[in-house]
Amino acid sequence: MSGSVNRPVRRRTFVLGTAAVAGTAALAETASAAGFGWSDDGSNYVVDTGASLVFKVSKTNGDLTSLVYKGTEYQGYGGMNSHIESGLGTSTVTLAQSGTTILISVTHGTLKHYYAARSGENNVYLWTNKADTSVSATRYIVRVKAGLFLNDEPDSYTYAPTTIEASDVFEKSDGQTRSKHYAKLRVADYDYIGWSTGSVGLYVVRSNHEKASGGPFYRSLLRHQSTGGGGLYEILYYGENQTEAQRFGLQGPYVIAFTDGGAPASALYHANLTTSWADALGISGYVSASGRGRVAGVGISGRNTAYAYTVGLANSAAQYWGSARASDGYFSIGQVLPGTYTLTVFKGELAVYSTSVTATAGGTTTLNTIAIPSSNDPSNASAIWRINDWDGTPGGFKNAALMTYAHPSDVRAAAWTGNVVIGSGTETSAFPCYLWKDVNSGIIVYFKLTAAQAAAAHTLRIGVTTAYANGRPQVVVNDSWTSAVPSPPTQPSTRSLTVGSYRGNNYTFTYSVPASAWLTDTGAYNTLKIYVASGSGSTSFLSAGTAIDTIDLLS
């Protein structure tokens, strides 16, 4: 808050200092931790936070060249520094101190990047402003020396003897697969990522991702370890299995945080971080809290209470999201840049409602109860049978849980083939979450119909969550009726199913099956064969494929 002061406390404690602003030029002085300040060693700006952290930033290219905590160097592996993307190259690097804050500014063409240190804190605050595509800056990676932390995320451990896909998916001798892509978590699932020895923790606390793309359910690189060291990522934009265009502008702050082994202080988290101390630093694209607004809703009716609901805001300039309260659907999304947004309500990850809403600086836009029409949720349609339920994910299908952190060829995966019998009680767990043209195309679903059901035409629906190489389902009923090959919906053009991501553009294929296709013998099983149609893709798990949400036959 303006006018408040946080005094330095014990060095093991995170302090989110705030300071009064003297005009617009500088921050007012606060008490400084002993040793706080900076120096110039000729090649780098050297910043001592006055706590237990000293870091260096190259004056040539803006790389983070040293990260010393309690006397131990953590920065670096493979001769590489920590930096934007793979390093910016020659840049203009300047430093300014305003009271108890030191800001290092890096300019490379149209891109601007910032490091900030606060007196008495073991944190490095970072912002990145990417204005256009002239600089390929899509991530910040903190490169950490080998041997300092145990490998507590084995599936992202990238050392394995055999490369099985591209240059980034590997197989161990026991048949388990490894890749830096296998992060398990969606963006909405984490506030920070990192490692701890029990006495030292090193984390990257993510930003609010307002200028990122892909929404709350997007999966991307988080961290990896190899024999040479480890990497912690803040992904500013990642093109793999991306559903949205790239957004531009200032991202941050995101934070490199050291602790005494525990998690970073919750005050650092993207949802709570107050940066009033940064208001007068002159960061390009920075918008203070007073220039932002809030969007809230008193409730959401028509929900299926078995599912969590998320409310998202998105336009071409920014994205935000928040959870709807389980009891009544109340939601509140703060720190929103002024503008008009598409508001989307998600049941799980399935969009079931959308409208337009405008956020204003310094104000709260409050919506009356949002009523989700019954027809918007496909689960509400009466079905003769249904495999899985509609939630926008393949969760519950065979191998679905494994696929966010393993390659489909992984020895831990159950067989991708195998047919399904409706009424067996294992319909969902037996049906594979993914179908590929070259792996399990032609899987069969067996089901019986009553005489009345067999006498009528029915609609078959297959919901998908993404597709690779334009893979889409074509169906054959009782080897006598074949559907047309449907047009492929818009989906990401990159890898997805093999790099831990099922999230694309949810789409429902519908097939009008005539009564003449059904068997009239009520004791006999009808057969539904589901093929993957596409002339694209290569072979095996890189052949055309798709991820399944739900399959049902409507009554």
Side-chain angles (χ1 to χ4, degrees):
M1 298 296 181
S2 178
S4 66
V5 175
N6 280 347
R7 304 295 181 184
V9 293
R10 293 170 58 198
R11 291 182 181 177
R12 66 175 293 170
T13 305
F14 284 91
V15 182
L16 277 179
T18 58
V21 177
T24 59
L27 297 178
E29 290 285 348
T30 64
S32 296
F36 175 72
W38 64 276
S39 61
D40 183 339
D41 69 4
S43 299
N44 307 277
Y45 289 121
V46 183
V47 178
D48 188 333
T49 66
S52 300
L53 176 62
V54 178
F55 65 91
K56 297 180 181 181
V57 174
S58 168
K59 293 166 57 181
T60 301
N61 57 24
D63 284 3
L64 186 67
T65 59
S66 177
L67 200 59
V68 175
Y69 178 67
K70 293 186 176 180
T72 298
E73 176 66 77
Y74 285 83
Q75 150 58 38
Y77 69 83
M80 293 181 284
N81 297 320
S82 299
H83 42 217
I84 284 289
E85 197 63 5
S86 297
L88 294 175
T90 302
S91 305
T92 300
V93 184
T94 59
L95 180 148
Q97 181 172 348
S98 298
T100 56
T101 300
I102 293 171
L103 181 72
I104 297 175
S105 304
V106 182
T107 301
H108 183 85
T110 60
L111 182 135
K112 298 182 183 298
H113 180 69
Y114 302 91
Y115 301 89
R118 297 280 290 161
S119 177
E121 298 184 22
N122 292 314
N123 306 319
V124 183
Y125 298 86
L126 303 97
W127 290 262
T128 303
N129 190 334
K130 182 180 179 182
D132 51 43
T133 59
S134 63
V135 177
S136 179
T138 57
R139 68 179 183 183
Y140 191 92
I141 179 169
V142 181
R143 302 187 185 274
V144 183
K145 280 187 172 182
L148 296 175
F149 297 101
L150 294 175
N151 178 32
D152 61 351
E153 288 291 329
D155 295 295
S156 63
Y157 186 73
T158 57
Y159 175 74
T162 304
T163 302
I164 61 171
E165 184 177 301
S167 59
D168 54 12
V169 183
F170 309 94
E171 184 179 67
K172 294 174 57 183
S173 58
D174 63 2
Q176 292 192 14
T177 53
R178 301 287 187 262
S179 176
K180 64 183 179 181
H181 297 286
Y182 299 150
K184 297 184 183 179
L185 301 176
R186 308 169 303 174
V187 175
D189 295 332
Y190 71 96
D191 296 306
Y192 58 86
I193 46 95
W195 301 293
S196 175
T197 65
S199 58
V200 174
L202 172 55
Y203 300 93
V204 168
V205 183
R206 75 165 174 87
S207 69
N208 69 353
H209 278 220
E210 70 180 1
K211 296 292 186 179
S213 298
F217 313 126
Y218 188 66
R219 296 176 190 269
S220 189
L221 287 72
L222 295 181
R223 58 183 157 190
H224 78 272
Q225 287 175 283
S226 68
T227 56
L232 300 176
Y233 296 89
E234 166 71 344
I235 298 296
L236 308 178
Y237 176 78
Y238 197 56
E240 196 152 70
N241 209 39
Q242 181 58 255
T243 58
E244 294 184 301
Q246 184 170 185
R247 294 182 172 95
F248 300 103
L250 185 69
Q251 298 239 51
Y254 49 105
V255 187
I256 303 171
F258 281 94
T259 75
D260 283 351
S266 60
L268 285 175
Y269 298 171
H270 57 90
N272 303 314
L273 183 58
T274 299
T275 53
S276 58
W277 52 265
D279 287 355
L281 294 180
I283 294 172
S284 174
Y286 182 89
V287 179
S288 66
S290 63
R292 297 169 176 270
R294 179 175 295 275
V295 174
V298 299
I300 302 173
S301 64
R303 292 173 298 119
N304 181 334
T305 56
Y307 292 90
Y309 282 71
T310 301
V311 178
L313 304 176
N315 61 22
S316 61
Q319 61 169 9
Y320 308 92
W321 59 83
S323 297
R325 191 161 61 193
S327 59
D328 56 8
Y330 167 83
F331 63 89
S332 181
I333 304 171
Q335 298 294 303
V336 178
L337 291 172
T340 298
Y341 295 85
T342 297
L343 180 152
T344 304
V345 178
F346 297 92
K347 169 198 173 188
E349 296 185 13
L350 183 68
V352 292
Y353 180 87
S354 67
T355 190
S356 180
V357 64
T358 298
T360 59
T364 297
T365 301
T366 302
L367 304 178
N368 294 325
T369 297
I370 293 173
I372 301 173
S374 177
S375 59
N376 284 21
D377 184 346
S379 296
N380 292 330
S382 178
I384 297 172
W385 53 259
R386 178 171 289 143
I387 306 176
N388 214 355
D389 195 14
W390 297 87
D391 70 348
T393 83
F397 281 129
K398 182 165 63 174
N399 293 326
L402 179 66
M403 285 301 97
T404 61
Y405 62 95
H407 191 270
S409 65
D410 195 289
V411 68
R412 293 170 289 180
W416 287 103
T417 54
N419 300 320
V420 175
V421 179
I422 300 298
S424 64
T426 61
E427 297 95 331
T428 298
S429 61
F431 197 97
C433 62
Y434 299 162
L435 299 177
W436 289 272
K437 185 174 183 178
D438 203 32
V439 175
N440 55 356
S441 183
I443 195 167
I444 303 174
V445 178
Y446 294 92
F447 59 97
K448 293 180 179 180
L449 296 176
T450 66
Q453 291 167 343
H458 297 289
T459 296
L460 174 75
R461 302 187 300 184
I462 300 179
V464 303
T465 68
T466 195
Y468 175 70
N470 287 328
R472 67 270 197 197
Q474 182 182 27
V475 301
V476 176
V477 176
N478 292 321
D479 292 326
S480 62
W481 181 87
T482 301
S483 72
V485 177
S487 298
T490 300
Q491 295 289 2
S493 60
T494 61
R495 289 181 301 166
S496 53
L497 309 181
T498 60
V499 291
S501 179
Y502 59 77
R503 179 70 186 170
N505 294 310
N506 291 102
Y507 186 83
T508 302
F509 294 92
T510 60
Y511 311 84
S512 298
V513 184
S516 59
W518 312 123
L519 300 181
T520 56
D521 182 356
T522 58
Y525 280 104
N526 290 267
T527 61
L528 169 68
K529 295 181 180 179
I530 304 175
Y531 295 90
V532 177
S534 176
S536 304
S538 56
T539 60
S540 188
F541 297 110
L542 288 178
S543 63
T546 190
I548 306 297
D549 178 4
T550 307
I551 305 171
D552 59 18
L553 184 67
L554 299 186
S555 56

